[in-house]
Each structure stands twice: as C-alpha cells, then as structure tokens.
Amino acid sequence: MRIAEINSPDLRQHDAVSLTLQQIESLVKQIELLSPKTSPLPSSLSPQLRQCLTQLSQLGPSSFSKSVKLQLWKLSYRLWNSCVDLTNAGLKGHVELRQSAADILAIAGDVAGVPSPAMKAASFYYKTGLIWHEMRKFDLANDCYEKATDLVAKVEIDSISDLGERKLLLDLNIARARTAWEVSDRNVSIALLNRSKKFLFETAENYRILAEQYLAFGKAVLMKSGVSEGNEALKLMNEGLELCEKGLRVVKKTDETLSLKTLRDTTLRFIAASHLQREEFDSVVKCVRVLRDYSGVKSGDQHPSLSVLALKAWLGLGRFSEAEKELRDMVVNKGVPEAVWVSAVEAYFKAVGVAGVETVKSIFLGLLGRCQVSACAAVRVIYKVIGEGGGGGEGLRIREIMAEELVSDERVVTLFAETSLVETPDLLTHLISLSSAAAHFRSKDYEISAGLFEKAMLYVPSGTESRILRAKGYRVLCLCHLGLSQLDQAKEYIDEAEKLEPNIACAFLKFKIYLQKNDHAAAITQMKAMTGCTDFTTEFLSLAAHEAVACRALGVAVSSLSDLLNFYTSGKPMPVAEIVVVRTTLAILVQESGHEYDLLKHMKRAQTRMTELGPDNFFGKGEVGRREQNWIATNAWNAGTRAGLEENYELCAEFLSLAAEFYDVKIDREAEGNNIMVCKSIVLAVSAMIATEKQKKVAMLDAQVRKAIELLDRVGKLVESLSAAENPSDCQDSSLDPKFQLVYMLNAYELYGRLKDSRSQQLLVKSYLNSKVSNPKDLLQIGLAFSQGSQFNAEVATTTLNACLSGLLASPLPDYNEVAIVIRRLITIAVVYKGDADDEAVYNLYKQAQRIMVGLREGEYPVAEGKWLATTSWNRAAVPVRLRQVDGAKKWMSLALEFAKKVPGMETYKACMEDFIASFEKKQQEDEEKRSKLTS
C-alpha cells in the first residue's frame, strides 16, 4: 500500500466506521445475552449505544457503502428483536434501546434490495413512541412521532401498496393527535385528526379507528361543563358520525360494515346525550328516532339508554304522555339496569308531580316486576313516588288509595315478607301515610302542615279557657307561613296571637317578619319594643342579632347588640361576657365598608369600658384575655391601615391611636404590652395626623403638635428600652422595624422644626446616625429631605449625606448611582450654602469624586453624572480665567480634564479641553515673556 493511501481521509473514515460498527455489534451481543432474570437492565448500555450512534452520524452516513448500510440494518433488527424478547419475558426499561434501533435505521437510510426502508424505520419510531406515550413521557413520544413523520413524508402516498404501510400512515397521525391532546394542545390534535382523513384508503378498519378517536375526544370534552366545551364535543362527535356514514357508503362487505354500524349507533347516543346536557330536547328526540330507525327492532330489544334519553327529552319538552309511554316501555325491557330504571322514575315524578291513581299504581306494580330480587330498590322508589308524588288534596288522595291497594296486593306482601325492611302491611301503611301536622312541620313541609293546623284550629273551643291554645296555634301558623315566605298571612296570624296572649314570642316573631320584609326601621322599632315585654330576657337581643345577621341586616344586628351592651353598665350579672358582645359587634361592622365611624364609636366605647373596669375584668385573664385584647387591637390596626390606604387620614389617626392603647394593655399585670406594635401604631398615627393637615390644608394647632411630639417621645423611650433589652441572640422581631424608625425620625424632626427646637432636631439626627438601624439608603432619603423644601438644613443634610457616602463606599459592592446622587447633592449644598466664599471646600468635594472614579470600570460610575462633574468643574474655571487667576484656573481645568478622561463619550470635549488648556498655557507663557522683557 502506498503512503498516500495510508494517509487517505477515506481510509481513515472507513476505519472509524468499522470501529464504531464493532462497538455497536458488541453492545448488541451483550443485549442479546441478557436473560429474563437480569433486572434491572445495565444502565450503561443505552448511553454507550447513543454515543456510538452520535459518532456514526458525524462520519457522514450519506457516504456509507452498501455493505455498511446492510450491516446497520441487521444490527438494528437484532437489537429490536432483543427488545421484543425482553418485553415478552416481562422486563421493562428498554424503551431507549428500541429508540436506538430506530435511530440506526434512520442513519442507515435507503439500501438497495431493502423494500420501503423509510416506512420500516418510521414503523420502529412509531412503536417506540407508543411505549413512551404509555409511560406518559409525551415529549419523548412526540419526538419519535415527528421523526417517523419526517421519514414517511419523503414517500409518495400513491406508491404505497402494502396495507400495513398504509395503515401506519393513519396510525402515526392518530398517535400524534393523542399525544398533543394529552399535553392540552387541542388545536394541533384536531388538525392532525383532520389530516388523517387522507390516509383512510377506503378501508373499513381505517374508518372505524379514526371515527373512534373523534368519539373518544368528544367524550373527553363532554365530561366538562361549559357552553364552549359542549359545542366542541358535539363538533368532534359529528365528525366521527360522518366518518361512519362515509365508511358505510364505501365499504360493502357485511362483516366489515357491522363494526361501523355499532360505532355509528354509539356515536349517535353520545350526540343525543350532548344535546340533552345542553337542553336541546328536540335534537335528542331526533337522534333517538334515527337510532330506532337504524335498529329496526322492537322497543323492548333496544339499547337501554334510548328509552332514558327519550324520556328525559319528552319531559324537557313538557310532553308527559310520551314520557309516560317511554317509562312503561322500560318496564318490559330486561336490558335496562336497575339503577337506570330507578333514576328514570325519579326524573319522571320530579317533572310530572301528582299523576292519576291508575298510572301510579300500574307503574309501581311494573316496578315490582322489575325489582323482584331487590327489595331495597323497590323501597327507594316507593318513597320517591309516594313521598314526593304531590302535595295538597290530590296528593293525599293518592296516598290514601295507594295505601289501601298496595297493602292488599299479594305481590307487595310477598316481596316485603322475604325481607326485614317491613314485616307487616300495617307498618308499610304507616311508612306511606301522614301521621300529623307536626311531623310535616318538622320536615319543613309547611304547606301541608299549615293546612292541617288550620283544620285543627276548627276544633279548638273559642272560650276563654282556650285562649292560650289558640294563641299557640296562631303562632305555629305564623311560623308555617314564614317558612313559605307568605309574610302578609304570617303578620295576620301573629297579630291575632298577640291579641290573645301578648308575650315576647309574639314580639320576636313580628321582629322576624319585619326582617324578612327588609323593613329595617320597623325591625329596629320592634326590637326596642321587645324590651318592654314582661317575659323579656337579654337572650332575645342576642337572638335578634343572630337573625339580623342571617338576613344581612347588619344595621339591625348592631342596634340589637348596642342595646344589649347598655345592660352591662347597670352592673347586673349577664349570661355572656361583655367582651364577647363587643367582639361580635365589631366583627359585624368590619364585614362591609361604610361602617367605619360606627366601628370607631364602638372601639372608643370599648376603650372607655376597659379603663373603667380594668384590662383583666374587661378582656378576661390569662390566655383568653390576651387573645381578646389582641383581636381588638389587631382590628383597630387593620381599620386604621385600611383608612390610610383610602386616604381618610383623620380616621386613620383615630384608629391607630386606639390600636396603640389596646396594644399597650397589660394582662395579668404583665411587665409590658406589645411594645413593637405600640410604636408602629403611634408612628403611623402621627404620620396620619401630618397627612390630614396636608390633605385638608389646615395647619395643626400648637396643642396638636405638642400632643404628637408627646406620642413620639413615648416611641423614643420605648425604642431605647427595646434596644437596651435586646440581646445578640434575640430574633429580629424584638426591635422596631428600621423603616418605622426612619418614619419616626422624619416626623419628629418636622414637628420639632415647627416648634423652632433646632437643638432637639440635631440630637434626633445624631441619635439616628449612631443607631444600629441607620443604613445608607435611609440616610440618603433623609439627606435629600433635609436638603430641599421647607425642611432645608444645610448642616444636618451635609452630615447625613456624608454618613450616607461613607456607608455606601464601605459596601463590598457600592451602588455608584446612589454615590453619584450623594456627591452631586453635597456639591449643590456647598455651592448654595457657602457660595464662592469657600472655593476650596467645593474643590475638595469634586476631588473626592475624582478619587472615587479612579480604578472603576468604564460606565460603572453613571455616565450622566460623570459628564455633570466634568462640565461643572470646567465651568468653575471660567471666573479664574477671566480674572487671570492662573493657579485657580489650572486647578479647575485640570480636574475637569481628569473627569473627561474617565467618562466615556467625552472624547470631543476632552480634545477641546486639551486645546484650550494648551492655548491658555501658551498665552500665559507669552505674557510671562512680555513681563520679563518689560522688567529687563
């Protein structure tokens, strides 16, 4: 062999392909030698095989020789057959090996002598995708299906003659559609089903498979309730039905059309069910008629669901005679399951109500014939038919006749004699008869109960000795008509009862009537009148509040509870603790907006009562008292913050001041209350006071300012005590939030300023700067606030901003945007406050900025701020230049040039600066020379 041939690229590729094929064959042999007892499979086989396939694909499969391709095909089939053997042996976990077998065929490509190579590779991918789909790994399944689709897309459909290959095209599209459906890509799924129609090839099996898939998707959508889902389900099932009809027109063999006819009938039944769900009853009837025309058999031999569908459709249309006919036909249809029959009976009687005696009897006896082996089902229908068969006189007449005829019927006696449900006809009679009006009242059958009580009242003597009994009867009749929402009749009966026996029960029922009439003013008047009854107790006020809450009459409920609270001031023993009534009142008021001022009034009352009785007597002792105190304090806090969000700052301040008082309560003589929440409440309350002033544009009085300062002084003392008591191991919740301390400091600073107390202002700021909670961001906010507007204080602002700058620069990753803001504000303050009198102080600030920028990456310091420093420092050289102050001019121009060198985008400015400095120095040199000549 020549040296050139040895170094040939083709030869090197051939050697690499051969080596890779040997590795693949070695791996295939290992897989072939696996036994059924090998579980789990070695985890290294699949990665090694994938690596070999990657190497093959990189070697240019298109240039492989025929022998290499044939060898790849053989290896692929050996690997696939091994996977099939492993599956038959019950082993799992080799789906990746199957996909590798499909990938080998795809790499090998077309081989002379192998028919339909692309279809065979696609078949491998399709079968592998099915396994991935079963494992619910839909992304991997879709990947296999798409590879298979790409392979078959290269094949002309007309050139495919093999039935299996033709079916593969359909199966592949349907499989892709199912996978897309599983991942909720419904549009793609339906599009793939529609695309599958061109792969039917006029084969009955293909029509059936595609129609079944449309039906399956339609059933899945039908399970969901919604108009859009119902429309989509109907559309899908109609597509399936159309495919069945088309298949029956194309296919002529009897054995092939049988499955299509069965599927067509099933699809039609589900379409009818969809129409029933959408209450399209005419369409349901049409579907049932078509199905019966298709079957051409007697109604007794039809599918059990047809009669049920038809019955419910006729009921929906209000055609009860047709529905009764369907129900009677179901009795003789032995194929109708018992549960379906019973459900149909219930639907029929729910729609029809009281039927004729003969109809009820014949249907019930037909039921006995259907339920001879299930007495429980018979009892269920007895209660349904007889118990809900009607109300009023006709219903009673049916019950009486049915009791007589059914008890005497031999079939009934025989059926129930074999069970322990009913042992005698007398007991059965008792089950289906009416015992008393009271029983109907307890079962809330108020209409029958009222009728029976009215008849019973005819037999009550009208004498004086029967006044109480008649009054009781009128009260019961009032309750019956209340239950029926017949409020005028109820009012008439309770008025009659009150004439006979005026008492708290009559007064309360009148209150209940006014509530249901939504006459809240009359209800409140009646509630107040209840307290004048001789048998009044405070429990009726609680009951009145409960009824008012149930009717959403919150104003009436609050009025009832307010009257109840008035009884607690008398000092008499009460059945319920006062705090419980207070909490209930507040809980009602916080349910809806618009009651904020009533809520504030009752909270102030609670605060007053707490002061009068003492915390332990008002809230209670121990954990119960602490929970009550915390509940009221929390609701005061919530009401205050809610008012603040609604910009009702005056109300916000009131609520938060109350919250501070409640949080400061000490239960069981505790050392302290909830100091953290006391501080937060006071800080926000004072903030709300200041906001109220700005909102109403009415300045706070000096007394109000001093009161606010006293509150903030209280916060300052609490913060000091918290800081002194705090240990390093304490949790963060043991100290006041830094944000609140910042707000506290700003508010206190502003209020001290109004009293012209600059000394307190300085001490306040100094104390904050030395505290643990101060941080650069808050200091920046304070510095900006004190350097502008009515709170301008150059000394305090400079001190704060310098502390902020030190903190920012001490950070591991300084925020140079904030650094730039601080420097610019310090320069501005120095220029405004000191003017040109202290040029050196201003220069030092610029120089400090220049030193900060040294070593920074380009753009790390804000470019706009860098340009500002460069231009303003250059501008400050203008005065020295005009006044021929050479040193001052050079100082500022050099500094400006240093800034320009460090700021990107100032190259033009830098060049101009350098030219001006050069010309300035040259001019100075010429002036020096002239002066030297003149002096010489």
Side-chain angles (χ1 to χ4, degrees), residues 607 610-611 629 633 653-666 671-686 689 705-723 736 740-741 744-745 747-748 751-752 764:
Q607 195 267 344
M610 177 188 72
T611 305
Q629 171 247 341
E654 294 274 8
F655 276 120
L656 291 173
S657 298
L658 285 172
E661 295 298 324
F662 287 126
Y663 278 123
D664 198 33
V665 168
K666 302 171 181 61
E672 58 184 18
N674 191 339
N675 289 338
I676 297 294
M677 290 306 299
V678 172
C679 292
K680 289 183 178 180
S681 301
I682 292 176
V683 168
L684 291 183
V686 174
M689 294 176 188
V705 173
R706 288 188 177 87
K707 179 183 177 182
I709 289 176
E710 289 177 5
L711 291 173
L712 291 177
D713 288 343
R714 180 180 170 192
V715 173
K717 294 176 183 178
L718 288 174
V719 170
E720 289 180 5
S721 65
L722 288 171
S723 300
L736 186 61
F740 281 92
Q741 293 202 39
Y744 153 73
M745 196 277 293
N747 288 340
L751 294 173
Y752 282 133
L764 182 70

Side-chain angles (χ1 to χ4, degrees), residues 207-228:
Y207 279 105
R208 182 188 62 79
I209 292 173
L210 185 55
E212 281 182 345
Q213 194 58 56
Y214 271 111
L215 177 60
F217 286 167
K219 288 160 64 176
V221 177
L222 190 61
M223 298 294 291
K224 302 177 182 179
S225 58
V227 176
S228 59

Side-chain angles (χ1 to χ4, degrees), residues 251-269:
V251 180
K252 302 301 182 183
K253 294 182 179 180
T254 305
D255 56 340
E256 293 181 346
T257 59
L258 184 60
S259 60
L260 282 174
K261 288 180 179 179
T262 303
L263 180 59
R264 176 197 63 189
D265 294 348
T266 302
T267 305
L268 258 176
R269 286 194 296 273

Side-chain angles (χ1 to χ4, degrees), residues 19 26 30 34 84 210 232 248 277 309 339 507 532 559 648 659 672 774 871:
L19 179 60
S26 174
Q30 293 181 45
L34 293 175
V84 173
L210 185 55
E232 187 174 353
L248 288 171
Q277 183 176 328
L309 289 170
S559 179
N648 190 342
E672 58 184 18
S774 65
T871 53

Side-chain angles (χ1 to χ4, degrees), residues 7 88 145 231 251 258 315 330 395 413 492 553 595 624 728 764 932:
N7 296 326
N88 294 336
Y145 295 148
N231 291 333
V251 180
L258 184 60
L315 290 176
M330 290 175 68
V413 176
E492 291 176 5
H595 302 288
V624 173
L764 182 70
S932 63

Side-chain angles (χ1 to χ4, degrees), residues 188-201:
V188 173
S189 179
I190 295 174
L192 288 168
L193 284 188
N194 292 331
R195 193 184 302 173
S196 302
K197 293 178 182 178
K198 63 182 180 181
F199 302 126
L200 295 174
F201 301 109

Side-chain angles (χ1 to χ4, degrees), residues 775-906:
N775 60 77
K777 290 188 179 296
D778 292 344
L779 292 174
L780 175 59
Q781 185 178 348
I782 296 171
L784 294 177
F786 294 163
S787 63
Q788 58 189 356
S790 60
Q791 299 186 49
F792 178 76
N793 187 319
E795 185 177 352
V796 173
T798 301
T799 303
T800 307
L801 290 173
N802 279 323
C804 173
L805 183 61
S806 300
L808 289 171
L809 295 176
S811 172
L813 295 172
D815 186 344
Y816 288 102
N817 287 307
E818 294 182 351
V819 170
I821 293 172
V822 173
I823 289 175
R824 185 168 186 168
R825 187 51 61 95
L826 284 170
I827 292 172
T828 303
I829 293 172
V831 170
V832 173
Y833 183 60
K834 298 181 180 180
D836 294 330
D838 194 353
D839 184 70
E840 192 64 28
V842 178
Y843 178 79
N844 289 336
L845 290 172
Y846 276 96
K847 192 65 179 175
Q848 184 181 16
Q850 186 265 335
R851 287 194 297 269
I852 290 172
M853 294 174 66
V854 172
L856 296 183
R857 296 189 303 272
E858 183 176 317
E860 189 170 1
Y861 194 91
V863 175
E865 293 297 323
K867 289 181 178 180
W868 182 83
L869 290 170
T871 53
T872 54
S873 59
W874 181 265
N875 292 338
R876 290 191 68 82
V879 174
V881 167
R882 285 197 298 270
L883 298 177
R884 300 294 181 179
Q885 297 174 358
V886 179
D887 293 337
K890 285 184 177 180
K891 177 179 68 174
W892 283 108
M893 288 191 294
S894 299
L895 183 60
L897 184 59
E898 289 296 324
F899 282 126
K901 290 178 180 179
K902 292 178 174 58
V903 179
M906 295 195 70

Side-chain angles (χ1 to χ4, degrees), residues 42 59 89 115 223 289 303 305 325 481 514 601 827 916 933:
L59 292 174
M223 298 294 291
R289 284 175 178 169
H303 192 277
S305 64
K325 181 179 178 300
H481 287 288
Y514 289 133
K601 181 183 74 173
I827 292 172
F916 184 85
K933 287 179 180 181

